[in-house]
């Protein structure tokens, strides 16, 4: 399976402009990839203006991405600012919601589990309560969001239930070393491919981002990356037979501890 990572600057809270720029980039990937992974909150930046920017599942962002996935023939993954409305009520719940949209029209969603308290995220969003394994092109994929990276129990790969682990992020430059070290660790401990996609540039809160978007093999070898502080796209071929052989010859997973997540 071909996976493309897309590292980009994000124009603050400019949803339509970010979508326009993304559309130009995706056009060039038509026929050259099976999955494109975007940064966390790719259309707004890491904003907490939920009342103005959050969307339902049938809003502009998801509808546009679904059209592109079908048109270009590849899946698109990332996260956006979402809201759910309670039946017979005007009350809303807000989520940092990860999405995985296939060219066949399938929609997969999961909400960020660990909200970043240092950025006041828990005051504006609800946390996710479950994780979902997505089936796509014969691969099992787990999609998580940014701060989830720091909590390895949440990503534990019990009995090889997934093959590819994806993190989408707005991970600041000041903690760039942690980003890279933890992505490598997730690949090693879970015996899977790991894809991390981060933004670049500086947001409206004057927080800089270096990027560091990368794909690691199950042995934590770099198979795709984008230079720091640059926008760009990089595509890697993920070899399922290599993964199966590695797990068979070095079956660390058989000795893994069991965890119970409440």
């Amino acid at each position: 399976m071909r996976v493309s990572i897309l590292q980009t600057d994000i124009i603050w809270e400019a949803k339509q402009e970010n979508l326009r720029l993304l559309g130009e980039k995706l056009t060039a990937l038509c026929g050259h990839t099976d999955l494109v992974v975007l940064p966390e909150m790719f259309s707004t930046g890491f904003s907490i203006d939920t009342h103005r920017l959050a969307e339902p599942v049938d809003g502009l962002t998801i509808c546009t991405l679904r059209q592109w996935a079908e048109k270009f023939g590849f899946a698109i993954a990332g996260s956006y600012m979402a809201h759910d409305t309670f039946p017979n009520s005007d009350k809303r719940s807000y989520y940092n919601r990860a999405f995985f949209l296939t060219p066949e029209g399938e929609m997969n969603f999961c909400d960020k589990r660990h909200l970043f308290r240092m950025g006041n995220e828990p005051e504006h969003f609800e946390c996710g309560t479950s994780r979902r394994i997505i089936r796509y092109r014969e691969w099992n994929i787990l999609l998580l969001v940014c701060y989830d990276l720091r909590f390895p129990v949440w990503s534990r790969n019990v009995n090889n239930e997934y093959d590819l682990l994806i993190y989408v992020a707005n991970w600041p430059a000041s903690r760039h070393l942690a980003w890279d070290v933890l992505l490598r660790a997730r690949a090693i401990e879970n015996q899977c491919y790991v894809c991390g996609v981060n933004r670049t540039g500086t947001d409206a809160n004057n927080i800089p981002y270096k990027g560091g978007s990368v794909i690691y093999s199950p042995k934590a070898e770099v198979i795709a990356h984008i230079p720091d502080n640059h926008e760009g796209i990089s595509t890697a071929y993920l070899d399922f037979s290599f993964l199966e052989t590695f797990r068979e010859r070095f079956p660390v997973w058989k000795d893994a501890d069991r965890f119970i997540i409440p």
Side-chain angles (χ1 to χ4, degrees):
M1 180 171 66
R2 299 165 298 176
V3 177
S4 299
I5 52 178
L6 196 159
Q7 180 170 291
T8 185
D9 196 352
I10 300 172
I11 304 172
W12 187 253
E13 297 182 348
K15 194 180 300 182
Q16 291 185 333
E17 182 64 6
N18 285 315
L19 283 168
R20 185 188 68 79
L21 293 170
L22 174 62
E24 294 177 356
K25 296 179 174 70
L26 295 183
T27 300
L29 286 169
C30 184
H32 300 289
T33 193
D34 301 298
L35 168 62
V36 177
V37 185
L38 314 176
E40 176 188 22
M41 289 193 178
F42 78 97
S43 61
T44 60
F46 191 70
S47 170
I48 54 176
D49 191 352
T50 53
H51 291 79
R52 187 169 62 90
L53 297 173
E55 300 178 40
V57 70
D58 58 355
L60 173 67
T61 297
I62 296 302
C63 285
T64 301
L65 293 176
R66 291 186 70 190
Q67 292 172 3
W68 286 339
E70 180 181 3
K71 177 180 179 180
F72 298 134
F74 50 68
I76 306 174
S79 94
Y80 78 114
M81 195 183 302
H83 74 69
D84 291 340
T85 304
F86 292 88
N88 303 316
S89 172
D90 293 331
K91 184 179 179 182
R92 290 179 175 179
S93 293
Y94 299 96
Y95 301 91
N96 186 341
R97 179 161 290 167
F99 58 81
F100 192 105
L101 311 173
T102 75
E104 293 77 28
E106 296 177 3
M107 298 190 296
N108 301 275
F109 299 100
C110 53
D111 298 322
K112 187 176 182 179
R113 166 73 168 188
H114 301 90
L115 300 178
F116 189 58
R117 67 176 61 250
M118 287 70 79
N120 300 318
E121 198 175 12
E123 298 175 17
H124 301 272
F125 296 89
E126 301 290 332
C127 69
T129 57
S130 63
R131 50 175 231 176
R132 182 174 182 180
I133 306 297
I134 300 160
R135 184 73 172 172
Y136 177 65
R137 302 281 168 95
E138 306 303 318
W139 288 71
N140 292 322
I141 301 169
L142 178 61
L143 175 59
L144 300 177
V145 182
C146 201
Y147 194 41
D148 288 334
L149 176 60
R150 289 185 177 269
F151 304 93
V153 174
W154 191 240
S155 64
R156 196 74 185 102
N157 194 9
V158 178
N159 293 326
N160 296 327
E161 61 184 341
Y162 66 80
D163 313 302
L164 169 62
L165 174 59
I166 296 174
Y167 288 98
V168 299
N170 274 210
W171 195 284
S174 60
R175 293 181 289 278
H176 188 74
L177 178 61
W179 165 256
D180 191 58
V181 170
L182 292 174
L183 286 173
R184 286 180 183 269
R186 298 295 89 83
I188 294 169
E189 70 193 10
N190 293 305
Q191 288 191 289
C192 67
Y193 287 95
V194 170
C195 169
V197 178
N198 190 27
R199 67 162 293 177
T200 189
T202 301
D203 69 17
N205 297 312
N206 204 32
I207 298 174
Y209 302 85
K210 291 178 64 174
S213 301
V214 66
I215 302 177
Y216 287 114
S217 78
K219 296 183 178 181
E221 303 161 323
V222 176
I223 59 174
H225 81 284
I226 300 170
D228 291 346
N229 300 309
H230 288 83
E231 292 191 309
I233 301 171
S234 183
T235 301
Y237 176 74
L238 278 54
D239 188 338
F240 192 77
S241 62
F242 167 79
L243 176 62
E244 285 188 312
T245 300
F246 175 57
R247 287 171 169 174
E248 179 181 346
R249 293 180 178 177
F250 194 63
V252 175
W253 58 274
K254 292 184 178 181
D255 301 311
D257 299 309
R258 297 295 182 262
F259 298 97
I260 299 176
I261 300 173

